[in-house]
Structures are given as structure tokens and as C-alpha cells.
Amino acid sequence: MSSIRRRPDLPSEEVHSITNAPEPLADDLARRQKRYLLQMGVRIVCFAGAVLSWGRIPMWASLLLIIAAVVLPYSAVLFANAGRERRDSDGTFMTPREIGPGSGSAGGIGSSDGSDGRE
């Protein structure tokens, strides 16, 4: 039996899950840097493969390696600058609340009783 008891008159609070927390910024940056460096490594391999295999393999294969070496930097920068991963969510940040009837008198700003305090 737990020593913590809930009072029945208190409303239950929403429990937040740690899985809904965003990825830490340092982890996000490290992940994007690793992906960028991996793509640049593939680019170097494509370029070196095209230079070393020029004339030894069919021309279309060498041209394909050169095209990959030219296109990879652009795509690598796009992926590196894409920013933090976004999670699928409904996009609402606040829950709508219903405003109920007031408990005070109706006299306030704009009251229609004619007593506005002027003489």
C-alpha cells in the first residue's frame, strides 16, 4: 500500500510523458553533423572513383560518379540545415477553455444603470 493518498476533491492533473519532449539541441546538432560528414565522405569516394576509373569502366558509369559528386554537396547542405526533427502533433498549444457565468454583479465597464461616476 502506498503512503501517498490522493484527495478525492482535487482534480487529477495531466501526466506529461518524457517521450513527448523534443530531442536535445546538442544531440540534434551532432546527428546533423554526422549525416553531413557521411554524405561528404560518399562524395569524395564518388569523385575519386570517377578520376581513378576514367577510361577503365564504361563512360556512363564515370559520368554518373561525377554527377553524384556534384549533386551530393547541395543535398548534404539541405539535409544539414533542415533543423530539428518535427514530431507529428495536432498543432494545438493551448486547450480551449469555456468561460462560465460570472459570480459578481453586472455593474462594471459599460453598465446600463446610468451611474458612471460623473456629476
Side-chain angles (χ1 to χ4, degrees), residues 52-77:
L52 296 175
S53 66
W54 191 264
R56 297 190 176 108
I57 60 173
M59 184 65 71
W60 63 268
S62 294
L63 289 176
L64 186 66
L65 289 173
I66 290 173
I67 290 171
V70 169
V71 172
L72 272 173
Y74 177 74
S75 64
V77 168

Side-chain angles (χ1 to χ4, degrees), residues 2 14 32 37 46 52 64 76 78 85 88 93 95 104 110 116:
S2 175
E14 181 182 354
R32 289 189 289 145
L37 291 174
C46 287
L52 296 175
L64 186 66
L78 283 180
E85 296 290 330
D88 293 337
F93 296 104
T95 56
D116 58 356

Side-chain angles (χ1 to χ4, degrees), residues 18 21-32 84-85 87:
I18 190 67
E23 180 182 20
L25 189 57
D27 293 347
D28 177 58
L29 184 62
R31 179 184 45 80
R32 289 189 289 145
R84 300 182 86 167
E85 296 290 330
R87 298 180 192 262

